[in-house]
Amino acid sequence: MMEISQMQYFVEIVQSDCNLTVAAENLYVSQSALSQFIKNFEHQQGVSLFNRKNGRIVNVSDSGMHVYQSALKVLNQYNGLEHVIERESLFQKGTIKIGIHPTYLRFFFNKFIPRFLIENPNAHIEIVEAGTNELQQMLEDNVIHIAVLAPPKDFDTSNYEVHPLVRTEVVAFMGPDHPLVTKRLLKWNHLDSYHYVTYNKKDAVYYFVEDKLKENNSTAKQLFTSSSWDYMIETVIYNELIALLPTVYFSMFISRLNQMGVVEKRFEDPIPYIPTLMREKKKHYSKVEDFVFQSIYNNFHFENDSLKYDFLLDD
């Protein structure tokens, strides 16, 4: 029978194209340890995992491929079990893991989380900062309990509680001397011949922007991507670069943009951007999780459940 550690060895060898040197480096073990594992396993189980030429492994055998596919399934289940155990351990300790995009964290949670923890010392929160797509995967894998993210278009939310927290949109940020600053509202083809920057592929905005530009046959060219809203905003000051990012309507950020000379322009056909509070639907939640989740919800909603921050114009 193959143990978990042996499965990890075998899977890494296959995924390293049967290069034991590379596999050993990735696993932080010696090459001789992998060679010994293969020799012992094949001898004890009477199955050849690899094809050989002149005594050297060249590729995985048909039998080895069957073992590899089954090992992958077992390892995925094992990793899932580890996440569940960690999750339940955090519940019992009163710790809740919340996944939040770094930009949301700065814009919307800089007051709430410190105040909440001071007022509720028994509710321990661990913040996980990541892009939208990463947070989606973490939520599906039960690595985090609660997420604040803008759901990708292909994200099936039927198994989750979903509560919009803010309604906003993607806009164009540019320097004060950019030729487009004279436009009251932008069309997407106004971006033609200009370079733009936006969030990287770990965030849904990357794909929202890409789809919108294709839809409008725009020839705008992506210069680079980043996870830092601040960095991309600052790069537009010195050239004709455009940053396509979620807008902010809070006075402290508007004041900072004004000081830098950065101009914000909306689109006639905007990309809606709606940070959303999510968690997996369950019959029962721990008191700590329920309390944290409801507290976040209340911080973004009035008593009649309407949004405190709704910046989208109705169609």
Side-chain angles (χ1 to χ4, degrees), residues 8-109:
Q8 292 169 332
Y9 284 3
F10 179 52
V11 165
E12 185 59 45
I13 293 170
V14 174
Q15 293 181 345
S16 299
D17 294 325
C18 301
N19 187 319
L20 296 188
T21 301
V22 173
E25 290 176 355
N26 292 339
L27 290 166
Y28 301 101
V29 299
S30 66
Q31 186 174 334
S32 62
L34 296 185
S35 298
Q36 194 64 43
F37 149 66
I38 296 170
K39 179 180 178 181
N40 291 342
F41 183 84
E42 290 186 331
H43 175 72
Q44 293 171 4
Q45 301 299 325
V47 58
S48 295
L49 298 176
F50 301 96
N51 296 317
R52 292 169 171 81
K53 185 176 182 179
N54 298 325
R56 294 177 63 86
I57 291 174
V58 292
N59 53 43
V60 64
S61 68
D62 290 342
S63 295
M65 183 55 68
H66 292 149
V67 174
Y68 168 74
Q69 292 169 346
S70 296
L72 271 182
K73 294 178 182 178
V74 173
L75 286 176
N76 286 335
Q77 291 176 337
Y78 176 77
N79 291 333
L81 175 61
E82 284 192 322
H83 290 323
V84 169
I85 292 172
E86 179 187 11
R87 179 187 173 99
E88 294 306 314
S89 173
L90 290 172
F91 273 150
Q92 292 182 19
K93 295 175 182 176
T95 299
I96 300 299
K97 276 191 174 184
I98 305 175
I100 306 177
H101 190 286
T103 303
Y104 307 168
L105 189 63
R106 184 182 177 196
F107 290 167
F108 302 117
F109 290 89

Side-chain angles (χ1 to χ4, degrees), residues 294-306:
Q294 193 61 45
S295 297
I296 295 175
Y297 178 89
N298 292 340
N299 189 61
F300 287 85
H301 292 78
F302 294 111
E303 291 185 4
N304 64 358
D305 289 331
S306 62

Side-chain angles (χ1 to χ4, degrees), residues 261-279:
V262 174
V263 178
E264 173 187 315
K265 289 292 178 179
R266 301 177 73 178
F267 287 91
E268 289 183 2
D269 176 26
I271 300 172
Y273 193 67
I274 306 175
T276 302
L277 179 65
M278 299 178 64
R279 67 174 171 180

